[in-house]
Amino acid sequence: QVQLVESGGGLVQAGGSLRLSCAASGRTFSSYAVGWFRQAPEKEREFVAVISRNDNTYYTDSGKGRFTISRDNAKNAVDLQMNSLKPEDTAVYYCAAHRGGSYYRPINYEYWGQGTQVTVSS
């Protein structure tokens, strides 16, 4: 069993930055690929970024060049640095531990945090 807790969300102006953190307890996080997803009101949950067990990283096209996912093994956490934020990035952001299969499908993740709200004003 793994418990995940996200933090770092908030309100920021367009062009600003936020750093989200996903802290894990119950099991060493490095044994999992870890993904970030987001869900805006009345929209489906969508893939944002993932870091594999051997630290390969993959991003949604809209996040390439703006978002960086990284591990902090000392804290048993995975962070998502988001720069040059846009109003369309507004959503609840979730981290999740991957169990197998495609990285891009939420159904392939078995543990989820409660989410953190990111709001980008124009």
Side-chain angles (χ1 to χ4, degrees), residues 62-116:
S62 65
K64 290 178 182 176
R66 298 191 300 129
F67 296 172
T68 303
I69 189 171
S70 61
R71 290 186 187 273
D72 186 338
N73 290 328
K75 296 181 180 179
N76 205 30
V78 169
D79 294 342
L80 182 68
Q81 176 68 41
M82 304 189 295
N83 300 324
S84 302
L85 283 162
K86 305 174 182 180
E88 52 264 42
D89 295 318
T90 295
V92 178
Y93 283 69
Y94 300 89
C95 65
H98 182 251
R99 62 182 164 194
S102 169
Y103 287 139
Y104 305 104
R105 300 183 67 197
I107 197 171
N108 292 329
Y109 290 75
E110 63 179 327
Y111 300 112
W112 291 83
Q114 83 289 349
T116 186

Side-chain angles (χ1 to χ4, degrees), residues 4-7 19-24 29-30 32-36 49-52 55 57 68-73 75-81 95-96:
L4 306 180
V5 179
E6 302 96 337
S7 61
R19 188 175 185 89
L20 307 184
S21 187
C22 174
F29 223 4
S30 59
Y32 287 93
V34 177
W36 282 94
V50 64
I51 186 164
S52 71
D55 291 349
T57 58
T68 303
I69 189 171
S70 61
R71 290 186 187 273
D72 186 338
N73 290 328
K75 296 181 180 179
N76 205 30
V78 169
D79 294 342
L80 182 68
Q81 176 68 41
C95 65

Side-chain angles (χ1 to χ4, degrees), residues 44-64:
E44 292 187 354
R45 192 165 297 189
E46 65 174 2
F47 170 81
V48 175
V50 64
I51 186 164
S52 71
R53 287 188 294 177
N54 58 359
D55 291 349
N56 292 323
T57 58
Y58 305 92
Y59 300 93
T60 184
D61 285 345
S62 65
K64 290 178 182 176

